[in-house]
């Protein structure tokens, strides 16, 4: 039996592979990647590397074997039809009889367009009859802290989320939950709503950056149309602008403020607070 991880050299996938290496022998891990060179470090540690692409179904032939546990990390090519991409992996897993297909989905409370592909993928997984685990990942701390440069430059956090709150956690937390499911028992046909233990509002977020950086940082809550324009002017692709603006609207409605405790229960540790991610980002 192998544990197969798609998108293994991505931001989340790398954390998952590192976590698996602490739990199981390297030769029981298959890292699915599009660029073998990017996985050279994992290969050197004994991880099996499989080169395959969501957009080329034939490349998944032989990647998954009977009895494997598979982590399907959702794609990020919004313009290429993510549901069809995910179906490629699902079909490959079903054909050979995988023991489990875990999928990184979106919170059940999220109504933004971002959730549409995830809901459709979940429906396909349920229809497949495969044993599944739905990992409904909440928002990542890094969605904000990885791009602090403009915040520090302009002295402002700009969002269209009003007074909404976000129960986010670090990527490493979500990866640890995936590792727990892939290496543990009794997770078949379960759905986990994963989020941070606590939530924050953007005024608090701005104040925390100010305190840690020593700069004056304000929170500017703007209408969603203004926010969309700011993103477009910054060069964000049109499709992604709509996604991000939609998420802010959902945040204002409280859809990403839910704290279930599922994430810390799976990992056996508290989730990473936004203050720690800010500290790490400012250290650079």
């Amino acid at each position: 039996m192998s544990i197969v991880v798609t998108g293994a050299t991505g931001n989340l996938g790398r954390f998952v592979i590192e976590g698996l290496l602490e739990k199981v022998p390297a030769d029981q891990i298959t890292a699915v990647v599009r660029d073998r060179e990017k996985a050279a470090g994992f290969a050197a540690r004994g991880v099996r590397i499989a080169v395959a692409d969501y957009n080329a179904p034939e490349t998944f032939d032989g990647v998954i074997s009977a009895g494997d546990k598979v982590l399907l990390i959702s794609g990020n090519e919004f313009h290429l039809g993510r549901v069809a991409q995910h179906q490629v992996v699902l079909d490959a897993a079903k054909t050979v009889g995988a023991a489990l297909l875990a999928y990184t989905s979106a919170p059940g409370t999220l109504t933004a367009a971002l959730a549409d592909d995830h809901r459709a993928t979940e429906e396909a997984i349920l229809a497949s009859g495969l044993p599944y685990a739905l990992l409904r990942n909440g928002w990542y701390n890094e969605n904000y802290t990885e791009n602090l440069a403009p915040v520090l430059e302009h002295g402002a956090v700009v969002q269209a989320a009003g007074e909404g709150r976000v129960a986010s956690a670090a990527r490493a937390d979500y990866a640890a939950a995936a590792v727990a499911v892939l290496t543990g028992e009794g997770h078949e046909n379960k759905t986990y709503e994963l989020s941070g233990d606590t939530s924050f509002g953007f005024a608090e977020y701005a104040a925390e950056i100010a305190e840690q950086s020593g700069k004056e940082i304000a929170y500017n809550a703007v209408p969603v149309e203004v926010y969309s324009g700011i993103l477009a002017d910054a060069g964000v692709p049109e499709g992604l602008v709509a996604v991000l603006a939609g998420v802010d609207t959902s945040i204002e409605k409280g859809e990403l403020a839910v704290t279930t405790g599922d994430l810390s229960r799976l990992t056996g540790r508290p989730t990473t607070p936004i203050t720690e991610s800010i500290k790490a980002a400012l250290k650079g």
Side-chain angles (χ1 to χ4, degrees), residues 144-153 157 205 209 277-278 281-282:
Y144 302 112
T145 61
E146 279 183 347
N147 194 26
L148 287 182
V151 173
L152 296 171
E153 179 184 351
V157 170
Y205 175 64
I209 297 172
S277 293
I278 292 170
L282 288 174

Side-chain angles (χ1 to χ4, degrees), residues 1-253:
M1 185 207 79
S2 183
I3 296 174
V4 181
V5 179
T6 71
T9 54
N11 290 330
L12 181 64
R14 285 188 171 279
F15 279 116
V16 173
I17 298 294
E18 290 291 349
L20 288 172
L21 284 167
E22 296 178 5
K23 299 270 190 178
V24 299
D27 61 5
Q28 291 181 16
I29 304 168
T30 298
V32 182
V33 301
R34 286 194 286 194
D35 184 343
R36 186 179 294 275
E37 288 185 11
K38 289 183 178 179
F42 291 144
R45 294 159 71 182
V47 174
R48 177 188 173 216
I49 308 300
V51 178
D53 190 323
Y54 293 152
N55 303 303
E58 69 279 3
T59 61
F60 275 88
D61 292 346
V63 170
I64 303 169
S65 301
D68 284 354
K69 292 182 178 180
V70 181
L71 175 64
L72 169 54
I73 294 180
S74 57
N76 58 9
E77 296 173 318
F78 298 94
H79 61 296
L80 292 180
R82 294 196 298 169
V83 180
Q85 291 181 328
H86 299 159
Q87 187 71 51
V88 168
V89 181
L90 181 55
D91 289 344
K94 183 178 179 180
T95 297
V96 299
L100 180 74
L101 187 132
Y103 172 65
T104 60
S105 192
T109 52
L110 188 66
T111 62
L114 174 66
D116 293 347
D117 288 349
H118 292 297
R119 294 291 95 82
T121 300
E122 287 186 6
E123 290 175 7
I125 291 169
L126 294 178
S128 75
L130 276 172
Y132 65 86
L134 301 181
L135 308 177
R136 290 179 169 172
N137 287 358
W139 220 225
Y140 300 157
N141 290 350
E142 290 88 348
N143 288 343
Y144 302 112
T145 61
E146 279 183 347
N147 194 26
L148 287 182
V151 173
L152 296 171
E153 179 184 351
H154 299 292
V157 170
V158 180
Q159 301 287 156
E163 296 182 9
R165 302 183 69 80
V166 183
S168 63
R171 277 201 191 96
D173 297 330
Y174 293 106
V179 169
V181 167
L182 293 167
T183 60
E185 301 296 332
H187 298 291
E188 292 82 4
N189 304 328
K190 297 285 181 66
T191 298
Y192 296 104
E193 296 286 351
L194 305 177
S195 62
D197 294 333
T198 58
S199 65
F200 66 88
F202 288 102
E204 296 167 42
Y205 175 64
E208 184 63 31
I209 297 172
E211 182 172 335
Q212 291 198 32
S213 68
K215 298 177 181 285
E216 287 191 17
I217 308 290
Y219 169 42
N220 292 343
V222 298
V224 69
E225 296 81 9
V226 173
Y227 183 57
S228 297
I230 291 170
L231 293 174
D233 290 344
V236 177
E238 183 179 347
L240 188 54
V241 167
V243 167
L244 295 174
V247 168
D248 264 25
T249 298
S250 286
I251 290 172
E252 186 170 23
K253 294 176 182 176

